[in-house]
Amino acid sequence: MPEPRLVAFDLDDTLAPSKSAIDPRIGDLLIALAERVEVAIISGGQLAQFTAQVVDLLPDASPETLARLHLLPTCGTQYYRITPDGVETVYARSLTEDQKTRALAAVESQARRLGLWESETWGEILEDRGSQITFSALGQKAPVAAKTAWDPTGEKKNALRSAVADLLPDLEVRSGGSTSVDITERGIDKAYGMRQLSEQTGIPLDDMLFVGDRLDPDGNDYPVLAMGVACQAVEGWEDTAEFLEGLIPTLPEPASEAA
């Protein structure tokens, strides 16, 4: 593809291990990339996760460079930019109380029916993220090793997703991270987030590149590939770092520090 004007990333298992902090190597590379092009992160996680895993750990950078970072939690139903005064809301679109109530009830009932409601967990299983309801089988704070071992083939998660989707035809139900299922308004996925990026930045989708670890048809990154955006598949943050170390030197230095 031509040199991208914007590079977007999944978060968990792309920039960092699930629910974990980025390695300093990734932080340095994200800033080096943002000195050249717009940089976005699109994930099912909420803003607090983006902040703790990435934003708070970035190395020092100019306000102009930080302004090129776009944060899209909950698959783009929320959109934030970084300013000298902190993280600024571009928009945040929430589910209605009725949608939240039905989503929470559906995912819990089906998880229990399928034997996927675990008694030993690390934190809450269900989370209201405003614009998204998230089921995390082992809890929000489960260690990476436990999550990896729980459903290595994705069979459990996909069975739950299908069962919940049947009960919520008006909402979008999709596999999220390694142990999670996410519920949003219908039509909300990472392709939605990419379209919002294009609308907000004025950069055509053809000039964007997406980097993710779940570009397979059952993965939550697949909608971006299916919409025709150029994609780079990775397997963990080290793979992403290696890719960026090859990509960044091919991109031109900015002519000025204009955002």
Side-chain angles (χ1 to χ4, degrees), residues 32-231:
L33 185 64
E35 289 172 348
R36 294 159 173 80
V37 297
E38 303 291 315
V39 176
I41 303 173
I42 305 178
S43 170
Q46 59 183 331
L47 178 62
Q49 182 180 338
F50 281 54
T51 301
Q53 287 185 247
V54 182
V55 177
D56 288 348
L57 301 173
L58 292 172
D60 290 340
S62 70
E64 292 80 10
T65 297
L66 292 175
R68 296 191 189 101
L69 295 175
H70 307 257
L71 309 177
L72 287 84
T74 56
C75 295
T77 55
Q78 300 170 24
Y79 193 129
Y80 302 90
R81 303 291 296 275
I82 300 176
T83 73
D85 296 324
V87 176
E88 180 181 89
T89 303
V90 178
Y91 66 72
R93 297 166 185 162
S94 294
L95 293 167
T96 66
E97 290 305 312
D98 172 68
Q99 290 171 326
K100 292 178 182 180
T101 298
R102 290 187 293 109
L104 288 164
V107 73
E108 179 171 350
S109 68
Q110 294 309 298
R112 291 186 183 277
R113 181 181 68 82
L114 294 169
L116 303 179
W117 191 268
E118 303 290 344
S119 57
E120 299 292 331
T121 63
W122 293 263
E124 296 297 321
I125 294 175
L126 297 176
E127 185 180 9
D128 177 356
R129 296 179 175 175
S131 54
Q132 177 176 292
I133 297 298
T134 294
F135 165 89
S136 297
L138 299 179
Q140 289 296 321
K141 300 178 181 179
V144 173
K147 293 198 291 186
T148 301
W150 184 76
D151 188 22
T153 67
E155 182 178 356
K156 294 178 182 179
K157 186 174 57 175
N158 290 337
L160 179 59
R161 187 216 66 78
S162 179
V164 174
D166 287 342
L167 298 180
L168 301 172
D170 60 317
L171 297 176
E172 192 80 33
V173 184
R174 27 169 227 289
S175 297
S178 54
T179 64
S180 65
V181 169
D182 298 327
I183 304 169
T184 62
E185 290 185 16
R186 179 157 287 286
I188 302 298
D189 54 24
K190 290 184 181 178
Y192 171 87
M194 296 298 288
R195 286 191 291 270
Q196 292 300 313
L197 271 174
S198 182
E199 181 178 317
Q200 294 288 333
T201 64
I203 297 174
L205 292 170
D206 287 346
D207 291 336
M208 296 184 183
L209 171 66
F210 179 83
V211 182
D213 71 304
R214 290 298 312 278
L215 289 161
D216 56 284
D218 289 328
N220 62 351
D221 297 329
Y222 181 74
V224 182
L225 179 65
M227 76 187 302
V229 171
C231 292

